[in-house]
Short mmCIF file of all heavy atoms in Angstrom, two decimals:
data_model
loop_
_atom_site.label_atom_id
_atom_site.label_comp_id
_atom_site.label_asym_id
_atom_site.label_seq_id
_atom_site.Cartn_x
_atom_site.Cartn_y
_atom_site.Cartn_z
N PHE A 336 -22.23 14.21 33.56
CA PHE A 336 -21.18 15.00 32.92
C PHE A 336 -21.24 16.48 33.29
O PHE A 336 -20.55 17.31 32.70
CB PHE A 336 -21.24 14.82 31.40
CG PHE A 336 -20.90 13.42 30.95
CD1 PHE A 336 -21.90 12.50 30.71
CD2 PHE A 336 -19.58 13.02 30.79
CE1 PHE A 336 -21.61 11.20 30.30
CE2 PHE A 336 -19.26 11.73 30.39
CZ PHE A 336 -20.27 10.81 30.16
N ASN A 337 -22.10 16.83 34.25
CA ASN A 337 -22.13 18.17 34.84
C ASN A 337 -22.46 19.26 33.83
O ASN A 337 -21.83 20.31 33.79
CB ASN A 337 -20.80 18.49 35.52
CG ASN A 337 -20.96 19.50 36.65
OD1 ASN A 337 -22.02 19.57 37.28
ND2 ASN A 337 -19.93 20.27 36.92
N ILE A 338 -23.49 19.02 33.01
CA ILE A 338 -23.86 20.00 31.98
C ILE A 338 -25.36 20.32 32.05
O ILE A 338 -26.01 20.58 31.03
CB ILE A 338 -23.48 19.50 30.57
CG1 ILE A 338 -24.07 18.11 30.28
CG2 ILE A 338 -21.97 19.49 30.39
CD1 ILE A 338 -23.88 17.63 28.85
N ALA A 339 -25.91 20.34 33.26
CA ALA A 339 -27.36 20.50 33.41
C ALA A 339 -27.87 21.80 32.81
O ALA A 339 -28.97 21.86 32.26
CB ALA A 339 -27.74 20.43 34.89
N GLY A 340 -27.10 22.87 32.89
CA GLY A 340 -27.56 24.15 32.40
C GLY A 340 -27.68 24.25 30.89
O GLY A 340 -28.27 25.20 30.38
N LEU A 341 -27.15 23.26 30.17
CA LEU A 341 -27.22 23.30 28.71
C LEU A 341 -28.52 22.74 28.15
O LEU A 341 -28.79 22.86 26.96
CB LEU A 341 -26.02 22.56 28.11
CG LEU A 341 -24.68 23.25 28.33
CD1 LEU A 341 -23.54 22.42 27.76
CD2 LEU A 341 -24.68 24.64 27.69
N ARG A 342 -29.33 22.11 28.98
CA ARG A 342 -30.69 21.73 28.63
C ARG A 342 -30.77 20.77 27.44
O ARG A 342 -31.00 21.16 26.30
CB ARG A 342 -31.52 22.98 28.31
CG ARG A 342 -31.66 23.95 29.46
CD ARG A 342 -32.31 23.30 30.66
NE ARG A 342 -32.84 24.28 31.60
CZ ARG A 342 -33.16 24.00 32.83
NH1 ARG A 342 -33.01 22.78 33.30
NH2 ARG A 342 -33.67 24.91 33.62
N CYS A 343 -30.60 19.50 27.72
CA CYS A 343 -30.78 18.48 26.69
C CYS A 343 -31.08 17.14 27.36
O CYS A 343 -30.34 16.69 28.23
CB CYS A 343 -29.53 18.34 25.83
SG CYS A 343 -29.71 17.16 24.47
N ALA A 344 -32.19 16.52 26.97
CA ALA A 344 -32.57 15.19 27.46
C ALA A 344 -33.13 14.40 26.29
O ALA A 344 -33.62 14.97 25.31
CB ALA A 344 -33.60 15.30 28.58
N VAL A 345 -33.05 13.09 26.39
CA VAL A 345 -33.54 12.23 25.31
C VAL A 345 -34.38 11.12 25.91
O VAL A 345 -34.07 10.60 26.99
CB VAL A 345 -32.37 11.68 24.47
CG1 VAL A 345 -31.40 10.86 25.31
CG2 VAL A 345 -32.87 10.85 23.29
N GLY A 346 -35.47 10.79 25.23
CA GLY A 346 -36.38 9.76 25.73
C GLY A 346 -36.75 8.75 24.67
O GLY A 346 -36.60 8.99 23.47
N HIS A 347 -37.26 7.60 25.13
CA HIS A 347 -37.64 6.51 24.24
C HIS A 347 -39.02 5.99 24.62
O HIS A 347 -39.34 5.88 25.81
CB HIS A 347 -36.62 5.37 24.34
CG HIS A 347 -36.90 4.22 23.44
ND1 HIS A 347 -37.64 3.13 23.84
CD2 HIS A 347 -36.56 4.00 22.15
CE1 HIS A 347 -37.73 2.28 22.83
NE2 HIS A 347 -37.10 2.79 21.80
N PHE A 348 -39.82 5.67 23.62
CA PHE A 348 -41.20 5.22 23.81
C PHE A 348 -41.34 3.77 23.39
O PHE A 348 -40.89 3.38 22.30
CB PHE A 348 -42.15 6.11 23.02
CG PHE A 348 -42.15 7.54 23.49
CD1 PHE A 348 -41.12 8.40 23.12
CD2 PHE A 348 -43.12 8.00 24.36
CE1 PHE A 348 -41.09 9.71 23.60
CE2 PHE A 348 -43.10 9.29 24.83
CZ PHE A 348 -42.08 10.15 24.46
N GLY A 349 -41.98 2.98 24.26
CA GLY A 349 -42.03 1.54 24.04
C GLY A 349 -42.86 1.12 22.84
O GLY A 349 -42.64 0.02 22.30
N THR A 350 -43.81 1.94 22.41
CA THR A 350 -44.63 1.63 21.24
C THR A 350 -44.85 2.90 20.42
O THR A 350 -44.74 4.01 20.93
CB THR A 350 -46.01 1.07 21.64
OG1 THR A 350 -46.74 2.09 22.34
CG2 THR A 350 -45.88 -0.17 22.49
N THR A 351 -45.21 2.71 19.16
CA THR A 351 -45.53 3.85 18.31
C THR A 351 -46.78 4.57 18.81
O THR A 351 -46.91 5.78 18.63
CB THR A 351 -45.73 3.39 16.86
OG1 THR A 351 -46.74 2.37 16.82
CG2 THR A 351 -44.44 2.85 16.27
N GLU A 352 -47.67 3.82 19.45
CA GLU A 352 -48.89 4.42 19.98
C GLU A 352 -48.57 5.39 21.12
O GLU A 352 -49.10 6.52 21.17
CB GLU A 352 -49.85 3.33 20.46
CG GLU A 352 -51.25 3.82 20.81
CD GLU A 352 -51.42 4.11 22.29
OE1 GLU A 352 -50.60 3.62 23.09
OE2 GLU A 352 -52.38 4.85 22.64
N LEU A 353 -47.70 4.99 22.05
CA LEU A 353 -47.27 5.90 23.11
C LEU A 353 -46.57 7.12 22.53
O LEU A 353 -46.82 8.26 22.95
CB LEU A 353 -46.32 5.18 24.07
CG LEU A 353 -46.89 4.18 25.07
CD1 LEU A 353 -45.77 3.59 25.91
CD2 LEU A 353 -47.94 4.82 25.97
N HIS A 354 -45.72 6.88 21.57
CA HIS A 354 -44.98 7.98 20.95
C HIS A 354 -45.94 8.96 20.28
O HIS A 354 -45.81 10.18 20.42
CB HIS A 354 -44.00 7.41 19.92
CG HIS A 354 -42.91 8.35 19.53
ND1 HIS A 354 -42.01 8.08 18.51
CD2 HIS A 354 -42.56 9.58 20.00
CE1 HIS A 354 -41.17 9.09 18.39
NE2 HIS A 354 -41.48 10.01 19.28
N ALA A 355 -46.94 8.45 19.58
CA ALA A 355 -47.90 9.30 18.88
C ALA A 355 -48.71 10.13 19.86
O ALA A 355 -48.97 11.32 19.62
CB ALA A 355 -48.82 8.44 18.01
N ARG A 356 -49.11 9.54 20.97
CA ARG A 356 -49.87 10.29 21.97
C ARG A 356 -49.04 11.44 22.54
O ARG A 356 -49.55 12.55 22.76
CB ARG A 356 -50.35 9.36 23.08
CG ARG A 356 -51.46 8.42 22.65
CD ARG A 356 -51.69 7.31 23.67
NE ARG A 356 -52.22 7.81 24.94
CZ ARG A 356 -52.41 7.02 26.00
NH1 ARG A 356 -52.11 5.70 25.93
NH2 ARG A 356 -52.91 7.52 27.12
N PHE A 357 -47.78 11.18 22.80
CA PHE A 357 -46.88 12.22 23.30
C PHE A 357 -46.73 13.34 22.27
O PHE A 357 -46.75 14.52 22.59
CB PHE A 357 -45.53 11.59 23.63
CG PHE A 357 -44.56 12.47 24.37
CD1 PHE A 357 -44.57 12.53 25.75
CD2 PHE A 357 -43.62 13.24 23.68
CE1 PHE A 357 -43.66 13.33 26.44
CE2 PHE A 357 -42.71 14.04 24.36
CZ PHE A 357 -42.74 14.09 25.74
N ARG A 358 -46.60 12.95 21.01
CA ARG A 358 -46.34 13.93 19.95
C ARG A 358 -47.57 14.74 19.55
O ARG A 358 -47.46 15.71 18.80
CB ARG A 358 -45.76 13.21 18.71
CG ARG A 358 -44.33 12.73 18.93
CD ARG A 358 -43.84 11.89 17.76
NE ARG A 358 -43.73 12.70 16.55
CZ ARG A 358 -42.65 13.39 16.19
NH1 ARG A 358 -41.58 13.38 16.97
NH2 ARG A 358 -42.62 14.08 15.07
N ARG A 359 -48.73 14.37 20.08
CA ARG A 359 -49.92 15.20 19.83
C ARG A 359 -49.87 16.52 20.59
O ARG A 359 -50.58 17.46 20.26
CB ARG A 359 -51.18 14.43 20.22
CG ARG A 359 -51.51 13.29 19.26
CD ARG A 359 -52.87 12.67 19.58
NE ARG A 359 -53.00 11.37 18.94
CZ ARG A 359 -53.20 10.23 19.56
NH1 ARG A 359 -53.33 10.22 20.89
NH2 ARG A 359 -53.30 9.10 18.90
N LEU A 360 -49.03 16.56 21.63
CA LEU A 360 -48.84 17.81 22.35
C LEU A 360 -48.13 18.83 21.45
O LEU A 360 -47.36 18.45 20.57
CB LEU A 360 -48.03 17.58 23.62
CG LEU A 360 -48.68 16.71 24.68
CD1 LEU A 360 -47.66 16.37 25.75
CD2 LEU A 360 -49.88 17.40 25.30
N PRO A 361 -48.36 20.12 21.67
CA PRO A 361 -47.68 21.13 20.85
C PRO A 361 -46.16 20.96 20.90
O PRO A 361 -45.59 20.72 21.96
CB PRO A 361 -48.11 22.46 21.48
CG PRO A 361 -49.41 22.16 22.14
CD PRO A 361 -49.30 20.74 22.63
N TRP A 362 -45.55 21.12 19.76
CA TRP A 362 -44.10 20.89 19.65
C TRP A 362 -43.32 21.79 20.61
O TRP A 362 -42.36 21.36 21.23
CB TRP A 362 -43.65 21.14 18.21
CG TRP A 362 -42.20 20.85 17.99
CD1 TRP A 362 -41.61 19.63 17.76
CD2 TRP A 362 -41.12 21.79 17.99
NE1 TRP A 362 -40.25 19.75 17.62
CE2 TRP A 362 -39.91 21.08 17.76
CE3 TRP A 362 -41.05 23.18 18.16
CZ2 TRP A 362 -38.69 21.70 17.68
CZ3 TRP A 362 -39.81 23.80 18.09
CH2 TRP A 362 -38.65 23.06 17.86
N HIS A 363 -43.74 23.04 20.74
CA HIS A 363 -42.99 23.96 21.60
C HIS A 363 -43.14 23.61 23.08
O HIS A 363 -42.37 24.08 23.91
CB HIS A 363 -43.44 25.40 21.35
CG HIS A 363 -42.95 25.95 20.06
ND1 HIS A 363 -43.65 25.84 18.88
CD2 HIS A 363 -41.79 26.60 19.75
CE1 HIS A 363 -42.97 26.40 17.91
NE2 HIS A 363 -41.84 26.87 18.39
N LEU A 364 -44.10 22.79 23.42
CA LEU A 364 -44.27 22.35 24.80
C LEU A 364 -43.31 21.21 25.13
O LEU A 364 -42.82 21.11 26.26
CB LEU A 364 -45.71 21.90 25.02
CG LEU A 364 -46.15 21.55 26.44
CD1 LEU A 364 -46.10 22.80 27.32
CD2 LEU A 364 -47.55 20.95 26.44
#
Side-chain angles (χ1 to χ4, degrees):
F336 293 96
N337 207 29
I338 54 173
L341 291 177
R342 299 301 198 197
C343 184
V345 59
H347 182 268
F348 296 79
T350 64
T351 55
E352 190 265 341
L353 285 180
H354 198 187
R356 288 167 67 184
F357 190 88
R358 288 173 66 88
R359 289 187 196 120
L360 295 170
W362 184 82
H363 286 90
L364 187 65

